[in-house]
Amino acid sequence: MALLINDDCTDCDACVESCPNKAITAGTPYVIDPALCTECVGAHDEPQCRLVCPADCIVDHPDFRESKDQLLAKYHGLHG
Ligand code: SF4
């Protein structure tokens, strides 16, 4: 599944650079593009944005549920 940044976001910008897929855009709150988020599957063992987020505001997206295989295929589609 993709992840979602909720309204607890403080716009700190910590997550943007952590994303291997450049899926995060600045805003209020910041936004994760579900078409680009692989939950870091393919690049890291766990979601990097969640690791660096000081506000604990990155949650599972309720509308984008994908298997690990689907996330890995998405990652390879993005990175060739
Ligand atoms: Fe990017 Fe990974 Fe966060 Fe998804 S979980 S937005 S791929 S850092």
Side-chain angles (χ1 to χ4, degrees):
M1 86 207 106
L3 301 187
L4 175 79
I5 300 175
N6 69 23
D7 289 341
D8 292 337
C9 173
T10 61
D11 304 347
C12 76
D13 211 52
C15 58
V16 172
E17 285 300 312
S18 74
C19 180
N21 300 336
K22 300 193 188 315
I24 305 174
T25 305
T28 307
Y30 276 41
V31 175
I32 295 175
D33 184 342
L36 299 178
C37 177
T38 61
E39 221 180 312
C40 284
V41 170
H44 300 286
D45 289 340
E46 57 186 309
Q48 299 298 293
C49 54
R50 262 186 183 155
L51 278 183
V52 300
C53 179
D56 251 348
C57 66
I58 304 178
V59 299
D60 295 348
H61 198 302
D63 299 328
F64 289 89
R65 306 240 171 235
E66 298 153 295
S67 69
K68 199 161 186 174
D69 284 348
Q70 287 173 312
L71 291 169
L72 192 56
K74 190 199 288 189
Y75 181 83
H76 288 311
L78 293 171
H79 295 278

